Amino acid sequence: MSGHIPTFLVKQHITLMVNRYEVASANSDGTEGSLLAFAQQKRMSFKEEVTFYTDSTRSTKLFSFKARQGLDVRAEHDVFDANGNPIGWFKKEFVTSLLRSTWQLSYAGVQARGQERRPVIAILRRFWDLIPVVGEIWVPFVFHFDFVDLATGQTVLISERRKSIRDRYVITVPDTRLDFRVAASMAVALDALQSR
């Protein structure tokens, strides 16, 4: 599956050994539509890799992303099509992210940068994790990311987290140049790699 999809949904399923994500189309009323991709992330692997399939049987691979370096918080991640051809990349800006999570995204000649929308929530999340005992209590901080084209300042991708026990996101892609496979990879990475 390639091409532009203007809006889609991502939801996480946590299991003992892997994180799983369902990427679904969004109906006009905001409800979940058909399954677009099923992703699986192995935990505790040397090089971070997430593979997207047509469904939970994992019989047909659609695309994937993989870290260039192993166990590195600054690792760049390449997005590959089903045949292993690179179609984009992203990486977390480690120093900037100490206070406010920030990512770089590259695709189709576009360089974009994404940040947590609300700096106050970003700082609250960090302090919450530092408080002994309290930091272990799960609190659903609702955080959003906005990505903009560095050349034009135009918004290219928006990830908005919904209030839910399970992580759920609405992804909006205003930029028609942004391939669904790259957008879905970035959207899943914002959840899967956020704490790294």
Side-chain angles (χ1 to χ4, degrees), residues 47-106:
K47 277 192 178 181
E48 196 67 57
E49 183 172 7
V50 175
T51 304
F52 294 77
Y53 302 92
T54 54
D55 56 40
S56 61
T57 65
R58 302 193 319 264
S59 58
T60 305
K61 180 178 175 179
L62 294 173
F63 55 97
S64 64
F65 69 81
K66 184 175 184 178
R68 293 180 189 171
Q69 304 88 8
L71 302 175
D72 185 351
V73 293
R74 292 168 287 230
E76 294 179 358
H77 294 75
D78 291 301
V79 182
F80 300 99
D81 67 15
N83 298 315
N85 301 309
I87 54 175
W89 63 265
F90 57 86
K91 75 172 185 176
K92 193 171 190 178
E93 293 182 9
F94 177 70
V95 174
T96 309
S97 294
L98 291 174
L99 285 179
R100 185 179 180 192
S101 293
T102 304
W103 294 79
Q104 294 177 23
L105 173 64
S106 178

Side-chain angles (χ1 to χ4, degrees), residues 9-187:
L9 309 174
V10 174
K11 64 180 178 180
Q12 179 193 40
H13 298 275
I14 300 173
T15 66
L16 186 60
M17 293 306 293
V18 295
N19 284 338
R20 293 187 174 126
Y21 296 88
E22 289 180 3
V23 182
S25 62
N27 295 322
S28 57
D29 62 359
T31 59
E32 185 177 320
S34 60
L35 183 69
L36 299 172
F38 175 87
Q40 183 164 299
Q41 171 202 27
K42 289 183 182 175
R43 290 189 188 154
M44 299 178 286
S45 58
F46 177 67
K47 277 192 178 181
E48 196 67 57
E49 183 172 7
V50 175
T51 304
F52 294 77
Y53 302 92
T54 54
D55 56 40
S56 61
T57 65
R58 302 193 319 264
S59 58
T60 305
K61 180 178 175 179
L62 294 173
F63 55 97
S64 64
F65 69 81
K66 184 175 184 178
R68 293 180 189 171
Q69 304 88 8
L71 302 175
D72 185 351
V73 293
R74 292 168 287 230
E76 294 179 358
H77 294 75
D78 291 301
V79 182
F80 300 99
D81 67 15
N83 298 315
N85 301 309
I87 54 175
W89 63 265
F90 57 86
K91 75 172 185 176
K92 193 171 190 178
E93 293 182 9
F94 177 70
V95 174
T96 309
S97 294
L98 291 174
L99 285 179
R100 185 179 180 192
S101 293
T102 304
W103 294 79
Q104 294 177 23
L105 173 64
S106 178
Y107 59 93
V110 175
Q111 301 297 319
R113 189 170 192 242
Q115 283 192 310
E116 285 183 83
R117 184 179 297 164
R118 293 183 270 178
V120 173
I121 295 295
I123 292 169
L124 281 175
R125 286 194 311 109
R126 282 145 183 82
F127 281 119
W128 185 264
D129 290 339
L130 294 175
I131 301 170
V133 181
V134 174
E136 298 301 317
I137 300 170
W138 180 82
V139 170
F141 286 109
V142 177
F143 55 93
H144 312 301
F145 282 88
D146 299 301
F147 285 77
V148 297
D149 184 328
L150 292 176
T152 66
Q154 297 297 310
T155 301
V156 298
L157 182 138
I158 299 165
S159 173
E160 296 181 302
R161 184 174 178 178
R162 296 297 183 225
K163 290 181 182 177
S164 168
I165 300 242
R166 211 168 39 175
D167 293 340
R168 292 177 177 264
Y169 304 88
V170 176
I171 311 302
T172 307
V173 187
D175 188 352
T176 57
R177 299 169 295 177
L178 180 46
D179 188 291
F180 164 72
R181 296 167 296 181
V182 178
S185 294
M186 186 75 254

